[in-house]
Amino acid sequence: MDDEIHDAFVLCDSNRDNLLDLKDATEALRCLGIPVTYTDVKQHTPPTPNLELNFDDFKALVDKLSAYAAEKLPQDIMMAFRAIDRDKDGMISASELYMMLTTLKNPLSEEQVDQLFAIGGVDRDSNISYDKFCNMFTII
């Protein structure tokens, strides 16, 4: 994992000064598969000069935010599911989810949604339970 962390650090060091600003750190964390926002990164970054992180600071942040994201992700998934579950019966229509995912502000392509559904064992005519929804969005 240390090699992956180093690779993400180097890849996202936009000005090649061996420091990541918070924007670059957010991008590097996402490259590592840690679903965080800029605000998450800012809240969990210790005060540093110019809010820049060297590699050791970034590595410590990876450890901290990995644990944070693991706790936060199920809550975020539950909120998303509840927003889609209009009749509050614990099920959502796969066709409705398909439409939402392909028409978002940053939409997924039809092929990407089809792949996501295939991973989750869902076809467009079925209903999706919360558990299946969680599995679909924690696999990716």
Side-chain angles (χ1 to χ4, degrees):
M1 180 70 169
D2 284 350
D3 288 341
E4 290 176 17
I5 294 170
H6 182 265
D7 290 348
F9 183 90
V10 171
L11 177 69
C12 295
D13 182 8
S14 59
N15 60 0
R16 306 293 180 237
D17 62 355
N18 293 318
L19 296 169
L20 296 180
D21 63 21
L22 297 186
K23 180 179 169 278
D24 290 342
T26 302
E27 184 177 339
L29 287 159
R30 290 177 182 163
C31 286
L32 293 168
I34 303 170
V36 293
T37 64
Y38 176 87
T39 303
D40 294 332
V41 173
K42 188 172 182 179
Q43 288 175 346
H44 290 88
T45 300
T48 58
N50 300 321
L51 291 176
E52 294 180 317
L53 304 171
N54 63 30
F55 179 72
D56 291 334
D57 294 335
F58 177 70
K59 191 173 171 188
L61 186 63
V62 168
D63 292 339
K64 184 187 291 187
L65 285 175
S66 292
Y68 169 76
E71 291 175 17
K72 183 178 180 252
L73 185 60
Q75 296 168 2
D76 290 348
I77 291 173
M78 175 59 90
M79 286 176 31
F81 184 85
R82 285 183 178 156
I84 300 168
D85 183 13
R86 292 184 182 158
D87 57 3
K88 308 301 179 211
D89 67 352
M91 301 292 281
I92 58 174
S93 158
S95 59
E96 211 170 27
L97 179 60
Y98 190 94
M99 178 65 81
M100 291 180 77
L101 293 173
T102 57
T103 59
L104 294 168
K105 181 178 178 184
N106 296 311
L108 297 177
S109 70
E110 289 186 16
E111 294 80 25
Q112 289 171 316
V113 177
D114 287 339
Q115 288 174 348
L116 179 63
F117 279 19
I119 289 169
V122 172
D123 64 61
R124 289 191 203 183
D125 297 324
S126 64
N127 286 323
I128 303 169
S129 68
Y130 172 71
D131 289 336
K132 191 169 270 199
F133 184 81
C134 282
N135 289 338
M136 288 171 57
F137 287 95
T138 55
I139 290 173
I140 57 171

mmCIF file with all atom_site columns, all heavy atoms in Angstrom, residues 53-64:
data_model
loop_
_atom_site.group_PDB
_atom_site.id
_atom_site.type_symbol
_atom_site.label_atom_id
_atom_site.label_alt_id
_atom_site.label_comp_id
_atom_site.label_asym_id
_atom_site.label_entity_id
_atom_site.label_seq_id
_atom_site.pdbx_PDB_ins_code
_atom_site.Cartn_x
_atom_site.Cartn_y
_atom_site.Cartn_z
_atom_site.occupancy
_atom_site.B_iso_or_equiv
_atom_site.pdbx_formal_charge
_atom_site.auth_seq_id
_atom_site.auth_comp_id
_atom_site.auth_asym_id
_atom_site.auth_atom_id
_atom_site.pdbx_PDB_model_num
ATOM 1   N N   . LEU A 1 53 ? 0.904  19.520 2.379  1.00 0.00 ? 53 LEU A N   1
ATOM 2   C CA  . LEU A 1 53 ? 1.297  18.280 3.038  1.00 0.00 ? 53 LEU A CA  1
ATOM 3   C C   . LEU A 1 53 ? 2.512  17.680 2.352  1.00 0.00 ? 53 LEU A C   1
ATOM 4   O O   . LEU A 1 53 ? 2.525  17.532 1.128  1.00 0.00 ? 53 LEU A O   1
ATOM 5   C CB  . LEU A 1 53 ? 0.156  17.267 2.968  1.00 0.00 ? 53 LEU A CB  1
ATOM 6   C CG  . LEU A 1 53 ? -1.191 17.708 3.535  1.00 0.00 ? 53 LEU A CG  1
ATOM 7   C CD1 . LEU A 1 53 ? -2.259 16.688 3.181  1.00 0.00 ? 53 LEU A CD1 1
ATOM 8   C CD2 . LEU A 1 53 ? -1.098 17.887 5.023  1.00 0.00 ? 53 LEU A CD2 1
ATOM 9   N N   . ASN A 1 54 ? 3.504  17.297 3.161  1.00 0.00 ? 54 ASN A N   1
ATOM 10  C CA  . ASN A 1 54 ? 4.600  16.506 2.597  1.00 0.00 ? 54 ASN A CA  1
ATOM 11  C C   . ASN A 1 54 ? 4.141  15.047 2.568  1.00 0.00 ? 54 ASN A C   1
ATOM 12  O O   . ASN A 1 54 ? 3.032  14.726 2.999  1.00 0.00 ? 54 ASN A O   1
ATOM 13  C CB  . ASN A 1 54 ? 5.897  16.705 3.389  1.00 0.00 ? 54 ASN A CB  1
ATOM 14  C CG  . ASN A 1 54 ? 5.793  16.234 4.833  1.00 0.00 ? 54 ASN A CG  1
ATOM 15  O OD1 . ASN A 1 54 ? 5.048  15.304 5.148  1.00 0.00 ? 54 ASN A OD1 1
ATOM 16  N ND2 . ASN A 1 54 ? 6.522  16.878 5.722  1.00 0.00 ? 54 ASN A ND2 1
ATOM 17  N N   . PHE A 1 55 ? 4.985  14.156 2.093  1.00 0.00 ? 55 PHE A N   1
ATOM 18  C CA  . PHE A 1 55 ? 4.559  12.767 1.943  1.00 0.00 ? 55 PHE A CA  1
ATOM 19  C C   . PHE A 1 55 ? 4.181  12.133 3.277  1.00 0.00 ? 55 PHE A C   1
ATOM 20  O O   . PHE A 1 55 ? 3.161  11.442 3.375  1.00 0.00 ? 55 PHE A O   1
ATOM 21  C CB  . PHE A 1 55 ? 5.646  11.927 1.253  1.00 0.00 ? 55 PHE A CB  1
ATOM 22  C CG  . PHE A 1 55 ? 5.237  10.491 1.105  1.00 0.00 ? 55 PHE A CG  1
ATOM 23  C CD1 . PHE A 1 55 ? 4.259  10.126 0.190  1.00 0.00 ? 55 PHE A CD1 1
ATOM 24  C CD2 . PHE A 1 55 ? 5.795  9.501  1.900  1.00 0.00 ? 55 PHE A CD2 1
ATOM 25  C CE1 . PHE A 1 55 ? 3.844  8.806  0.064  1.00 0.00 ? 55 PHE A CE1 1
ATOM 26  C CE2 . PHE A 1 55 ? 5.393  8.179  1.779  1.00 0.00 ? 55 PHE A CE2 1
ATOM 27  C CZ  . PHE A 1 55 ? 4.415  7.836  0.864  1.00 0.00 ? 55 PHE A CZ  1
ATOM 28  N N   . ASP A 1 56 ? 4.958  12.361 4.331  1.00 0.00 ? 56 ASP A N   1
ATOM 29  C CA  . ASP A 1 56 ? 4.640  11.765 5.633  1.00 0.00 ? 56 ASP A CA  1
ATOM 30  C C   . ASP A 1 56 ? 3.314  12.277 6.173  1.00 0.00 ? 56 ASP A C   1
ATOM 31  O O   . ASP A 1 56 ? 2.518  11.509 6.729  1.00 0.00 ? 56 ASP A O   1
ATOM 32  C CB  . ASP A 1 56 ? 5.771  12.036 6.632  1.00 0.00 ? 56 ASP A CB  1
ATOM 33  C CG  . ASP A 1 56 ? 7.046  11.272 6.296  1.00 0.00 ? 56 ASP A CG  1
ATOM 34  O OD1 . ASP A 1 56 ? 6.944  10.204 5.635  1.00 0.00 ? 56 ASP A OD1 1
ATOM 35  O OD2 . ASP A 1 56 ? 8.130  11.735 6.676  1.00 0.00 ? 56 ASP A OD2 1
ATOM 36  N N   . ASP A 1 57 ? 3.050  13.590 6.007  1.00 0.00 ? 57 ASP A N   1
ATOM 37  C CA  . ASP A 1 57 ? 1.764  14.150 6.433  1.00 0.00 ? 57 ASP A CA  1
ATOM 38  C C   . ASP A 1 57 ? 0.623  13.527 5.631  1.00 0.00 ? 57 ASP A C   1
ATOM 39  O O   . ASP A 1 57 ? -0.434 13.201 6.175  1.00 0.00 ? 57 ASP A O   1
ATOM 40  C CB  . ASP A 1 57 ? 1.733  15.670 6.232  1.00 0.00 ? 57 ASP A CB  1
ATOM 41  C CG  . ASP A 1 57 ? 2.702  16.425 7.131  1.00 0.00 ? 57 ASP A CG  1
ATOM 42  O OD1 . ASP A 1 57 ? 3.046  15.900 8.209  1.00 0.00 ? 57 ASP A OD1 1
ATOM 43  O OD2 . ASP A 1 57 ? 3.110  17.538 6.741  1.00 0.00 ? 57 ASP A OD2 1
ATOM 44  N N   . PHE A 1 58 ? 0.852  13.372 4.322  1.00 0.00 ? 58 PHE A N   1
ATOM 45  C CA  . PHE A 1 58 ? -0.176 12.790 3.465  1.00 0.00 ? 58 PHE A CA  1
ATOM 46  C C   . PHE A 1 58 ? -0.449 11.341 3.855  1.00 0.00 ? 58 PHE A C   1
ATOM 47  O O   . PHE A 1 58 ? -1.606 10.920 3.933  1.00 0.00 ? 58 PHE A O   1
ATOM 48  C CB  . PHE A 1 58 ? 0.235  12.886 1.985  1.00 0.00 ? 58 PHE A CB  1
ATOM 49  C CG  . PHE A 1 58 ? -0.753 12.237 1.066  1.00 0.00 ? 58 PHE A CG  1
ATOM 50  C CD1 . PHE A 1 58 ? -2.005 12.796 0.863  1.00 0.00 ? 58 PHE A CD1 1
ATOM 51  C CD2 . PHE A 1 58 ? -0.440 11.053 0.404  1.00 0.00 ? 58 PHE A CD2 1
ATOM 52  C CE1 . PHE A 1 58 ? -2.931 12.193 0.013  1.00 0.00 ? 58 PHE A CE1 1
ATOM 53  C CE2 . PHE A 1 58 ? -1.352 10.446 -0.435 1.00 0.00 ? 58 PHE A CE2 1
ATOM 54  C CZ  . PHE A 1 58 ? -2.603 11.014 -0.633 1.00 0.00 ? 58 PHE A CZ  1
ATOM 55  N N   . LYS A 1 59 ? 0.599  10.599 4.125  1.00 0.00 ? 59 LYS A N   1
ATOM 56  C CA  . LYS A 1 59 ? 0.429  9.189  4.517  1.00 0.00 ? 59 LYS A CA  1
ATOM 57  C C   . LYS A 1 59 ? -0.386 9.079  5.805  1.00 0.00 ? 59 LYS A C   1
ATOM 58  O O   . LYS A 1 59 ? -1.277 8.230  5.925  1.00 0.00 ? 59 LYS A O   1
ATOM 59  C CB  . LYS A 1 59 ? 1.810  8.545  4.682  1.00 0.00 ? 59 LYS A CB  1
ATOM 60  C CG  . LYS A 1 59 ? 1.770  7.063  4.835  1.00 0.00 ? 59 LYS A CG  1
ATOM 61  C CD  . LYS A 1 59 ? 3.174  6.496  4.821  1.00 0.00 ? 59 LYS A CD  1
ATOM 62  C CE  . LYS A 1 59 ? 3.133  5.039  5.190  1.00 0.00 ? 59 LYS A CE  1
ATOM 63  N NZ  . LYS A 1 59 ? 4.441  4.475  5.383  1.00 0.00 ? 59 LYS A NZ  1
ATOM 64  N N   . ALA A 1 60 ? -0.118 9.956  6.763  1.00 0.00 ? 60 ALA A N   1
ATOM 65  C CA  . ALA A 1 60 ? -0.895 9.967  8.010  1.00 0.00 ? 60 ALA A CA  1
ATOM 66  C C   . ALA A 1 60 ? -2.357 10.322 7.730  1.00 0.00 ? 60 ALA A C   1
ATOM 67  O O   . ALA A 1 60 ? -3.279 9.757  8.329  1.00 0.00 ? 60 ALA A O   1
ATOM 68  C CB  . ALA A 1 60 ? -0.284 10.950 8.999  1.00 0.00 ? 60 ALA A CB  1
ATOM 69  N N   . LEU A 1 61 ? -2.566 11.246 6.787  1.00 0.00 ? 61 LEU A N   1
ATOM 70  C CA  . LEU A 1 61 ? -3.921 11.634 6.419  1.00 0.00 ? 61 LEU A CA  1
ATOM 71  C C   . LEU A 1 61 ? -4.660 10.475 5.746  1.00 0.00 ? 61 LEU A C   1
ATOM 72  O O   . LEU A 1 61 ? -5.849 10.269 5.974  1.00 0.00 ? 61 LEU A O   1
ATOM 73  C CB  . LEU A 1 61 ? -3.881 12.857 5.497  1.00 0.00 ? 61 LEU A CB  1
ATOM 74  C CG  . LEU A 1 61 ? -5.211 13.487 5.133  1.00 0.00 ? 61 LEU A CG  1
ATOM 75  C CD1 . LEU A 1 61 ? -5.914 14.045 6.372  1.00 0.00 ? 61 LEU A CD1 1
ATOM 76  C CD2 . LEU A 1 61 ? -5.004 14.586 4.106  1.00 0.00 ? 61 LEU A CD2 1
ATOM 77  N N   . VAL A 1 62 ? -3.951 9.704  4.934  1.00 0.00 ? 62 VAL A N   1
ATOM 78  C CA  . VAL A 1 62 ? -4.547 8.523  4.299  1.00 0.00 ? 62 VAL A CA  1
ATOM 79  C C   . VAL A 1 62 ? -5.072 7.574  5.374  1.00 0.00 ? 62 VAL A C   1
ATOM 80  O O   . VAL A 1 62 ? -6.213 7.104  5.299  1.00 0.00 ? 62 VAL A O   1
ATOM 81  C CB  . VAL A 1 62 ? -3.536 7.796  3.378  1.00 0.00 ? 62 VAL A CB  1
ATOM 82  C CG1 . VAL A 1 62 ? -4.056 6.424  2.962  1.00 0.00 ? 62 VAL A CG1 1
ATOM 83  C CG2 . VAL A 1 62 ? -3.213 8.633  2.154  1.00 0.00 ? 62 VAL A CG2 1
ATOM 84  N N   . ASP A 1 63 ? -4.263 7.307  6.380  1.00 0.00 ? 63 ASP A N   1
ATOM 85  C CA  . ASP A 1 63 ? -4.693 6.405  7.457  1.00 0.00 ? 63 ASP A CA  1
ATOM 86  C C   . ASP A 1 63 ? -5.926 6.949  8.172  1.00 0.00 ? 63 ASP A C   1
ATOM 87  O O   . ASP A 1 63 ? -6.885 6.223  8.420  1.00 0.00 ? 63 ASP A O   1
ATOM 88  C CB  . ASP A 1 63 ? -3.558 6.191  8.461  1.00 0.00 ? 63 ASP A CB  1
ATOM 89  C CG  . ASP A 1 63 ? -2.399 5.406  7.880  1.00 0.00 ? 63 ASP A CG  1
ATOM 90  O OD1 . ASP A 1 63 ? -2.590 4.695  6.873  1.00 0.00 ? 63 ASP A OD1 1
ATOM 91  O OD2 . ASP A 1 63 ? -1.283 5.521  8.423  1.00 0.00 ? 63 ASP A OD2 1
ATOM 92  N N   . LYS A 1 64 ? -5.891 8.234  8.490  1.00 0.00 ? 64 LYS A N   1
ATOM 93  C CA  . LYS A 1 64 ? -6.995 8.851  9.224  1.00 0.00 ? 64 LYS A CA  1
ATOM 94  C C   . LYS A 1 64 ? -8.275 8.863  8.392  1.00 0.00 ? 64 LYS A C   1
ATOM 95  O O   . LYS A 1 64 ? -9.348 8.490  8.878  1.00 0.00 ? 64 LYS A O   1
ATOM 96  C CB  . LYS A 1 64 ? -6.617 10.289 9.605  1.00 0.00 ? 64 LYS A CB  1
ATOM 97  C CG  . LYS A 1 64 ? -7.657 10.998 10.451 1.00 0.00 ? 64 LYS A CG  1
ATOM 98  C CD  . LYS A 1 64 ? -7.314 12.468 10.664 1.00 0.00 ? 64 LYS A CD  1
ATOM 99  C CE  . LYS A 1 64 ? -6.108 12.639 11.543 1.00 0.00 ? 64 LYS A CE  1
ATOM 100 N NZ  . LYS A 1 64 ? -5.880 14.069 11.883 1.00 0.00 ? 64 LYS A NZ  1
#
